Amino acid sequence: MRKTSKTMKRVYGGLLMAATISLGACNGAPKDGPPPQAVSLDTVGSGMHVTDDSGAIAGKGIFDRMCVGCHSVGGGPRVGPDLAHIGEKRTTEWLKEWMKDPMAMVAKDADAKAVYEKWNKVPMPPQGLTDTQVNQVFAYIAANSGPAKTPVLTMTDTNGLPVNLGAGGSKDGDFGPPQGPEIEAVLTSPPFVPPAPDRDYPAKVIVHLEVLELVKPISDGVDYTFWTFGGTVPGSFVRVRQGDTVEFHLNNHPDNKMPHNIDLHAVTGPGGGAASSFTAPGHSSRFTFKALNPGLFIYHCATAPVGMHIANGMYGLIMVDPPEGLPKVDREFYVGQGDFYTTGKYREKGLQPFDMQKAIDENATYVLFNGAENALVGDNALQAKVGETVRIFFGNGGPNLVSSFHLIGEIFDRVHIEGGSRIQENVQTTLVPSGGSVIVDFHLEVPGTYVLVDHSIFRAFNKGALGLLVVEGEPNLAVYSGKEVDEMYLGDKAGGGPADRDAVIDAAAAAAEGKLTKELQVAAGELLYKGTCSTCHQHKGQGIPDVFPPLAGSDYLLADSKHAIAVVLNGLTGPITVNGNNYNSVMAPLSNLNDDEVAHILTYVNNAWGNKGARVLPAEVKDVRANTPRAPGAAH
Amino acid sequence: MIAALALLPLFALTTFGPDETNELVAEVMVGPSSFKLMYPAPNEPDTVFVAAFLFDASPVTNAAFLAFVRANPEWRSDRIAPVRADEAYLSQWLSPEELGPPGPHNGPDQPVTRVSWYAAKAYCKALGKRLPTEHEWELAAAADETRVDARQDPEFQGRVLTWYSRPNSAGLPDVGNGVPNKWGARDLHGLVWEWVSDFNNTMVTGDSREKDSPDKTLFCGAGTLAAADGGDYASFMRYAMRSSLAGRFTTRNLGFRCAHTPNTTPRKGLERR
C-alpha cells in the first residue's frame, strides 16, 4: 500500500472525480486494502446515515490516507479542488477513467486538460486503487457532500438571455486563490466603461485610485470645489470578476487638504474598506479584499462628515461581473447621478461653497448626471446607432435623493434590478436608491435624441438632471412616424352626429353629378355655418355688438362677394364699419375649409335672415384661394 | 566692463530669512476657562478646565523655522532621520537652509508647512516652549472676534467650513493678517491645519461611521454621532484630520504654533537642543 499522503513530500494536485452513486449500490468487502473498520456512524463525520453496504466507511479510511493531503470534502480548495458535490459535475465513467491514470486523461481529454491548467498544472499521480476501492471513496465523498445543491434557476427571456446572473451570494463566490498573472486594473472616466474581464478563473487585480480635490464648473459660469476619485464625478469605473482578489491602493494627492478613505459596497469587511483606508494628504493606503458577490456597486468616501464628502462628488462604481459574464451589447456607458448643495441659488454665478444646512434639509440646488449640467449634452451627449443594443451602468451617489431613472422615448428591455442578479424586463422608469445602482439594456429602433432624466421631473428641468443620447440611423416610420397631420379640431362645435351631415353629403353627391343647386348649397351651408361661424357671428347672424359684426343685413358682407370669399379664406383684422358701427376685431383665417364648404357657407349667409345676396360657387372660391396669399401659419 | 564685473559680488552676499537672534514672537494669554469637549472620552466628563497658557498669536513662519534649522542642523531636510519626518519634509524650500525665491508656500512670512510633529516639537522646545495640547488649541479656536465659544453659531461654523472646501491652488497668505479672535489669536481658521502635542488623542477611527459603541455603527454616515455636538462639522473635521496623521507625517497644509505655561520664561534666540 502506498504510504499515507501526509508523509508525501511532493505535492500532488488534480481532480478526483466522484459520481453520485446511490448509497448501497456498492457491496462486499474490498479485495485488497484494509478491512472495513468497525466504527460508529459518528466517525464518518458527516452525521449522515451511512450503511456499511455502501463502503463509505472504508472509503473514508482510504481518503484519509491517500487524498486528504491535496483534497477536502467540503473543507475548501487545497492543492486540489474541494471534492464535495463532484458527482454533480462529472459523470462516473469520466471520474473512473481519471482515477486510473490522471495524466493520460489530461493528455487526451480537453476537460481534463482545462482542469489540470486551472489547478496550477500540478500533476496527480495514479493512486493504484481497485475498482471497489474507487467506489468506496466515491461513496464516502457522496455521503460527506451534504445535501445536493439546489440548482440555480436558469430561466431565460424570450431572446435566450439569462434572467439570473451571478452565482448565488457570498458563500458561493469564493472561487479559491487567485490564479494567473497579476492584472493592473484598467480604470475609465465617465461616460466610458472598461472592457469586461475575459477569463474564466479568479485573478489578482491591482487598483490604484487617486483622490483629487479640484475646482471645476458645475454649471455655466458656476464653479464648485469637487472632491473626486480620479479627477471626475462620478469617479473612475473599476471592473473585476466575481471571486477576484483586489489589491486596492488609495492615494491621497499631496495637494489635497482633507483626509479621505473609501467604502466600496462590493467589499465584505468592516466599513467596506473604509476602516482600512483612512489616508492623510500626501499618503497612500493599501488593503486587499475578495469580491465575493457579483453586481454593480457604489463606492464612496466615508470620512466624516460623510455627507459632505459624498455631496462634494466622492462616489463612483465598481462592477463585479458574474463568472459567466453579461450578455454582449454594442455599447456600454457609465452615468452617475448626484445631488449638490450650494449656498448660492441654482445657476448663481461664481465659485459656490457647499451648504451644510441645505444638505441636512435635503434641499438640493442641483441634481446632475456626471457632476455638471452640461456633462451629457451638446458635444458631450452619448452617441449610438439605430439597431444597436446599449447598456448603461447607472449609479446614484446621493447623498440624499432617490432617482426615478427614465429614458424619454425608450423602454428598458432588461433591468438588473438594483444592480443585482435578477432581471426585470420592459421597464419604463426604474428606482435607484441613494447609494445604489442599476444596469439597463435597451435596443434602439428609431433615430433621434433620447433624454435621460430623473423623472421627479422638476429635478430634470429646474435642477439639471438631464442628459442626451443621440441616435443616428435610418428612420423607421412603421415604429414611429413623426407628426403626420396637423389639422383643425372643432370639438363639439363641429356640428352634431352623422345624421346632421346629410345635407352636406347630399350637396357633395349632387356636385359630383354636376347637379348642385342653390337650395342644396343653402342646406349644406346652414349646417356648416353652425359651430364654425356661429361661434362668433351667432346663430341668427346677429353678431355681438361692438365685438363681432352681424351678417344679417350686413352692408359690408353683401357689398362684394369676392371680398367675402377672401375674408373667409384669409381672415380679417383691423377697423371696419358695418351698418354704421365700428368694429376692430380679429377673424381667424378659415382656409382649412375646402372650396365646397366655403361656397356653401357663403351661399347660405348671403341668403339667410332676409339677405338677398349672391350664390357662391366652389370654382369661385378656388379662384380666390389661388390668387390671394394665405395668412402666416394658416392651412392652404 | 569692470564696472559690470564689480556688481557681481553684490548678488552673492544677499541672504534670505530673518537674522539669527529671532526676536520673541507675539503671544497672547488664553484661558483659564472651562471648555465643553467635542469628543469626551468614555469615562471623562464632557467639560474640562483649561488652565491659562500663553499662545503664539499666529503660526510659525518659514523664516522663523529657517532660523531654527540653521541653529540646529540635525533638523535639516537632508539630515533628518526618516523616523522623524517623511520625504516631503520642508520640500517647499529651495534647499535645506534656503527658502528660495518667494512662491506659494515658501515665503518668509507664510506659515511653515511640511513639518512633522517631531520637528514642530523640537522647534518649540528650542525656544523653551512646547506644542499646545488639543484641548488648549481647541479652546483658543472656539472663539470668534467677540465670543469665547462661538461653536454653536452656524455662521461661524459656515465660515470655517468654507475654508475647508476651498481648493489648494492658491498660495498661502502671510501670517498675522487674520482678524484676532477674542483671545487675540489670529489665523486659527482659514490658514493651515496645526499640530498639537496629543494629536492622536481622540482616535477617530478610519471608518468614521463607528465610534466606541457598536450600536453606533448601525447609523452609517456620521462619526459625529459620538461627538458631543453633532452639528459642529467644522470642529469635527479638524479632529478627523488630526487622526489621519502620524508623528512623522508632513502635509502641504499642516503647520503649527507654540504655547507655554505662564511663569516659565522662553529663551531669547534659538539655542542648540
Side-chain angles (χ1 to χ4, degrees):
Chain A
M1 279 307 295
R2 282 181 185 274
K3 297 236 189 300
T4 65
S5 51
K6 289 198 177 74
T7 64
M8 285 176 183
K9 295 286 191 267
R10 284 186 60 205
V11 169
Y12 291 109
L15 218 55
L16 174 63
M17 311 306 171
T20 331
I21 300 166
S22 56
L23 296 174
C26 297
N27 242 333
K31 286 211 185 77
D32 19 300
Q37 299 163 51
V39 291
S40 70
L41 290 177
D42 285 345
T43 64
V44 175
S46 69
M48 287 190 68
H49 182 66
V50 177
T51 63
D52 261 15
D53 285 351
S54 73
I57 295 170
K60 174 177 162 67
I62 300 168
F63 191 93
D64 284 350
R65 280 197 317 279
M66 305 189 62
C67 319
V68 81
C70 300
H71 295 286
S72 76
V73 182
R78 295 191 184 142
V79 174
D82 185 334
L83 298 176
H85 302 289
I86 201 68
E88 295 167 37
K89 295 174 196 160
R90 301 284 178 190
T91 64
T92 316
E93 292 69 34
W94 197 95
L95 294 170
K96 283 192 167 171
E97 207 186 325
W98 173 279
M99 283 299 294
K100 282 212 184 65
D101 189 343
M103 293 318 293
M105 186 83 163
V106 167
K108 66 173 171 120
D109 182 290
D111 278 353
K113 182 157 186 261
V115 159
Y116 169 67
E117 285 177 357
K118 183 173 171 180
W119 288 90
N120 302 313
K121 297 195 183 174
V122 180
M124 171 172 161
Q127 303 293 308
L129 298 177
T130 64
D131 268 354
T132 312
Q133 287 172 314
V134 167
N135 287 339
Q136 287 167 341
V137 172
F138 288 178
Y140 163 68
I141 291 172
N144 267 292
S145 290
K149 281 192 199 168
T150 318
V152 176
L153 295 173
T154 49
M155 284 162 43
T156 58
D157 65 14
T158 50
N159 293 315
L161 299 175
V163 296
N164 298 292
L165 281 157
S170 57
K171 284 205 262 182
D172 299 311
D174 194 336
F175 302 147
Q179 302 164 39
E182 291 184 350
I183 298 173
E184 195 71 36
V186 170
L187 306 184
T188 57
S189 297
F192 302 109
V193 178
D198 183 20
R199 51 188 154 86
D200 63 354
Y201 55 86
K204 181 166 188 186
V205 180
I206 301 174
V207 176
H208 290 270
L209 191 54
E210 180 182 52
V211 176
L212 280 168
E213 298 168 9
L214 62 164
V215 176
K216 289 205 292 184
I218 190 172
S219 180
D220 216 27
V222 187
D223 284 341
Y224 189 81
T225 305
F226 292 97
W227 298 344
T228 72
F229 287 104
T232 58
V233 177
S236 309
F237 196 107
V238 183
R239 194 162 189 176
V240 299
R241 182 176 180 270
Q242 184 184 14
D244 279 353
T245 296
V246 181
E247 180 185 287
F248 201 97
H249 299 250
L250 185 68
N251 306 322
N252 193 349
H253 196 278
D255 285 355
N256 292 343
K257 214 179 258 173
M258 309 299 298
H260 296 285
N261 62 6
I262 190 167
D263 168 3
L264 300 110
H265 288 184
V267 171
T268 301
S276 317
S277 58
F278 193 40
T279 313
H283 291 265
S284 173
S285 296
R286 186 188 97 183
F287 67 99
T288 302
F289 68 93
K290 192 174 274 192
L292 296 176
N293 296 67
L296 179 63
F297 298 99
I298 284 277
Y299 66 74
H300 63 88
C301 180
T303 301
V306 180
M308 182 174 177
H309 284 251
I310 296 176
N312 284 343
M314 297 199 78
Y315 44 84
L317 285 176
I318 172 168
M319 175 66 192
V320 181
D321 276 69
E324 65 269 35
L326 298 181
K328 279 232 165 325
V329 295
D330 298 297
R331 282 177 210 259
E332 293 182 326
F333 292 113
Y334 172 23
V335 178
Q337 177 173 334
D339 20 298
F340 296 88
Y341 303 84
T342 62
T343 56
K345 291 209 228 315
Y346 174 67
R347 290 190 177 165
E348 193 175 309
K349 308 271 183 232
L351 176 65
Q352 288 293 337
F354 167 70
D355 190 316
M356 179 64 83
Q357 193 55 50
K358 283 189 189 170
I360 292 170
D361 295 339
E362 302 192 21
N363 176 13
T365 319
Y366 296 89
V367 181
L368 301 172
F369 297 133
N370 291 7
E373 272 218 76
N374 65 347
L376 292 177
V377 302
D379 290 339
N380 298 325
L382 304 177
Q383 314 265 357
K385 296 194 168 66
V386 167
E388 289 181 336
T389 301
V390 172
R391 172 173 295 141
I392 299 183
F393 294 92
F394 184 87
N396 182 7
N400 289 323
L401 304 180
V402 173
S403 176
S404 303
F405 181 48
H406 174 82
L407 183 57
I408 300 179
E410 256 292 349
I411 298 116
F412 300 135
D413 298 323
R414 284 167 59 91
V415 176
H416 293 239
I417 309 160
E418 296 173 338
S421 293
R422 294 285 173 273
I423 304 296
Q424 172 64 292
E425 298 178 83
N426 304 317
V427 172
Q428 68 197 285
T429 300
T430 182
L431 264 184
V432 188
S434 175
S437 73
V438 71
I439 309 176
V440 296
D441 295 358
F442 50 95
H443 180 257
L444 296 164
E445 286 84 10
V446 173
T449 299
Y450 296 85
V451 187
L452 291 79
V453 294
D454 180 339
H455 217 290
S456 288
I457 211 69
F458 276 90
R459 297 177 197 172
F461 300 121
N462 295 75
K463 295 191 177 179
L466 192 147
L468 301 180
L469 167 64
V470 174
V471 176
E472 294 185 340
E474 290 302 308
N476 187 343
L477 297 178
V479 170
Y480 185 80
S481 69
K483 189 179 236 189
E484 291 164 320
V485 172
D486 185 344
E487 57 185 2
M488 287 284 290
Y489 176 70
L490 300 173
D492 63 348
K493 303 287 184 214
D500 291 348
R501 304 290 295 171
D502 283 352
V504 176
I505 292 165
D506 290 346
E513 289 169 20
K515 290 180 186 159
L516 185 65
T517 63
K518 182 172 164 185
E519 287 69 30
L520 284 171
Q521 278 195 283
V522 167
E526 181 176 3
L527 184 68
L528 291 164
Y529 176 88
K530 280 192 205 140
T532 305
C533 320
S534 65
T535 322
C536 301
H537 292 289
Q538 306 302 299
H539 283 283
K540 295 204 168 81
Q542 71 274 36
I544 296 178
D546 295 329
V547 182
F548 300 122
L551 298 175
S554 163
D555 55 4
Y556 186 91
L557 167 70
L558 298 166
D560 181 348
S561 178
K562 232 171 131 180
H563 179 65
I565 298 172
V567 166
V568 172
L569 285 176
N570 301 322
L572 185 64
T573 59
I576 58 170
T577 308
V578 179
N579 295 348
N581 295 315
N582 295 327
Y583 297 87
N584 190 346
S585 195
V586 175
M587 171 163 164
L590 291 164
S591 53
N592 51 297
L593 299 171
N594 63 30
D595 297 341
D596 286 30
E597 288 166 330
V598 176
H600 300 336
I601 289 170
L602 281 169
T603 304
Y604 168 67
V605 302
N606 284 346
N607 291 281
W609 320 301
N611 286 352
K612 293 214 180 347
R615 180 186 176 187
V616 175
L617 291 169
E620 296 170 59
V621 178
K622 182 174 171 181
D623 187 52
V624 172
R625 192 191 294 268
N627 289 312
T628 56
R630 296 286 80 73
H636 172 253
Chain B
M1 180 65 170
I2 294 167
L5 287 172
L7 286 171
L8 282 173
L10 286 174
F11 289 91
L13 290 172
T14 308
T15 56
F16 294 105
D19 70 70
E20 299 289 300
T21 59
N22 188 50
E23 73 256 19
L24 275 176
V25 93
E27 293 179 336
V28 295
M29 178 82 84
V30 179
S33 178
S34 64
F35 179 64
K36 190 149 189 285
L37 290 175
M38 176 77 178
Y39 266 98
N43 299 316
E44 202 182 287
D46 62 357
T47 304
V48 293
F49 177 76
V50 180
F53 64 100
L54 286 158
F55 194 52
D56 287 1
S58 45
V60 173
T61 61
N62 279 309
F65 202 81
L66 176 63
F68 162 75
V69 168
R70 284 194 176 139
N72 299 276
E74 72 271 24
W75 290 96
R76 285 167 50 121
S77 56
D78 58 345
R79 299 211 195 144
I80 191 168
V83 72
R84 290 204 175 135
D86 64 25
E87 296 73 25
Y89 174 63
L90 294 180
S91 54
Q92 74 275 26
W93 290 3
L94 177 66
S95 78
E97 285 195 19
E98 278 180 282
L99 297 183
H105 292 98
N106 62 341
D109 293 322
Q110 288 170 354
V112 67
T113 56
R114 296 223 173 94
V115 285
S116 67
W117 177 76
Y118 294 103
K121 260 184 53 166
Y123 174 96
C124 293
K125 193 165 174 199
L127 288 175
K129 303 200 231 181
R130 56 174 175 77
L131 284 173
T133 65
E134 189 173 72
H135 292 341
E136 287 175 337
W137 199 96
E138 285 289 325
L139 169 66
D144 69 359
E145 296 79 17
T146 54
R147 292 168 290 186
V148 162
D149 191 348
R151 291 177 297 170
Q152 301 288 328
D153 182 353
E155 200 264 321
F156 175 69
Q157 290 178 21
R159 269 194 281 154
V160 176
L161 278 179
T162 302
W163 173 63
Y164 296 155
S165 47
R166 261 211 301 278
N168 262 339
S169 45
L172 290 168
D174 290 352
V175 307
N177 286 332
V179 175
N181 71 9
K182 181 90 172 138
W183 303 107
R186 298 171 195 259
D187 303 324
L188 287 159
H189 305 289
L191 194 52
V192 288
W193 307 108
E194 294 187 15
W195 284 110
V196 295
S197 61
D198 53 347
F199 65 91
N200 52 8
N201 187 37
T202 311
M203 291 311 285
V204 174
T205 65
D207 180 353
S208 320
R209 295 161 298 179
E210 65 174 277
K211 171 88 179 128
D212 300 336
S213 153
D215 283 346
K216 292 192 169 132
T217 65
L218 292 175
F219 298 88
C220 178
T224 54
L225 267 181
D229 178 0
D232 186 1
Y233 282 102
S235 298
F236 188 78
M237 287 165 74
R238 283 195 300 276
Y239 284 84
M241 177 62 197
R242 287 191 288 255
S243 65
S244 78
L245 300 170
R248 63 183 291 269
F249 280 16
T250 71
T251 90
R252 209 175 117 168
N253 285 88
L254 177 61
F256 72 102
R257 66 181 80 193
C258 302
H260 68 102
T261 311
N263 303 326
T264 67
T265 313
R267 288 179 189 74
K268 281 192 169 50
L270 288 159
E271 293 183 14
R272 273 198 68 90
R273 276 270 155 269

